[in-house]
Amino acid sequence: MRIRDEIRLGVGTLLLVQILLMFAAVGLLSRMTPAIGHILEDNERSIHAVERMLVVLAEPPSSEPSRLADRRQRFGLALEDARSNITDEREQPVIDQIDAQLDAGLAGDPAALAELRVELSKLGDINRDAMHDANAQAKRLGTAGAWVLVMLGMMGLALSVAVIRRFQGKLIQPVYELGAVLEACSDGDRHRRFNPA
């Protein structure tokens, strides 16, 4: 193989490894970001619905039909928002229990109000736990990705060392040998020869 081809092959291989390393880094980051954002957005929406329901429950009960209907509508909208955004199977029984206690709680029944507060707290905890799980999973994915990038970097380093050694044996060492032969000839040694092998 000619020296020019050797250089092209070696440098081309190193560039290919570097390009693969860049694409691996971009692929890892592009996988992590949307998944985390989606999970956080969904669970934040459910937590916001829980907060809206708790605000309605914090208002003093009223026997006035228009106020009761308004509270019922606002609570119902928040409950439907939570129901349409179920991301964990543990949420469904909690939402069903909230729905069962809704009328009595809005009417002012202390036991139903206490039950509603407990169930809303559970719903918020479930969503916060899901957010923490998503965070832990993202950290694990980030750590694994970082180690993959380290391994690719080590492969690139090993390949660089192999290419340098190959250049040393096929290019640099023969050039030094040729230089030594020319120097010996200029010093008067007419028997010194260049051995490319």
Side-chain angles (χ1 to χ4, degrees):
M1 186 181 283
R2 292 186 308 180
I3 291 176
R4 183 175 57 189
D5 295 335
E6 284 279 337
I7 292 172
R8 282 183 181 168
L9 178 65
V11 172
T13 305
L14 289 176
L15 289 175
L16 181 65
V17 168
Q18 294 303 317
I19 289 169
L20 288 175
L21 188 62
M22 288 184 295
F23 279 116
V26 169
L28 171 72
L29 292 175
S30 65
R31 273 188 62 206
M32 284 176 54
T33 306
I36 296 167
H38 183 68
I39 289 168
L40 294 179
E41 180 182 318
D42 285 348
N43 291 341
E44 184 182 8
R45 185 173 152 202
S46 293
I47 289 172
H48 183 64
V50 167
E51 291 170 350
R52 290 183 355 235
M53 288 184 270
L54 284 171
V55 165
V56 172
L57 287 182
E59 295 172 1
S62 173
S63 57
E64 187 180 316
S66 63
R67 276 197 59 174
L68 185 58
D70 177 56
R71 289 179 69 214
R72 172 87 168 101
Q73 180 185 13
R74 287 186 290 132
F75 195 96
L77 287 173
L79 183 60
E80 280 309 308
D81 199 18
R83 189 187 313 274
S84 68
N85 192 40
I86 292 177
T87 56
D88 190 318
E89 70 270 357
R90 297 176 297 167
E91 289 180 273
Q92 187 61 52
V94 173
I95 289 175
D96 292 341
Q97 188 64 28
I98 291 169
D99 202 16
Q101 297 294 326
L102 174 61
D103 291 328
L106 289 177
D109 180 16
L113 277 171
E115 180 70 23
L116 278 172
R117 288 187 187 107
V118 168
E119 295 301 320
L120 287 169
S121 177
K122 282 184 196 174
L123 187 59
D125 289 343
I126 290 169
N127 282 284
R128 272 188 291 283
D129 289 345
M131 291 170 88
H132 290 296
D133 291 345
N135 184 40
Q137 182 180 0
K139 284 181 181 177
R140 284 191 302 272
L141 184 61
T143 301
W147 282 110
V148 166
L149 294 176
V150 166
M151 294 303 291
L152 285 172
M154 295 297 284
M155 285 173 49
L157 181 64
L159 187 59
S160 298
V161 169
V163 167
I164 289 170
R165 283 188 177 183
R166 186 169 175 93
F167 282 169
Q168 180 102 20
K170 292 223 174 205
L171 180 65
I172 298 171
Q173 203 61 31
V175 168
Y176 280 136
E177 179 69 23
L178 184 59
V181 168
L182 292 174
E183 192 174 308
C185 285
S186 71
D187 287 343
D189 184 0
R190 303 277 182 223
H191 300 290
R192 177 80 188 262
R193 298 288 180 258
F194 175 63
N195 183 3

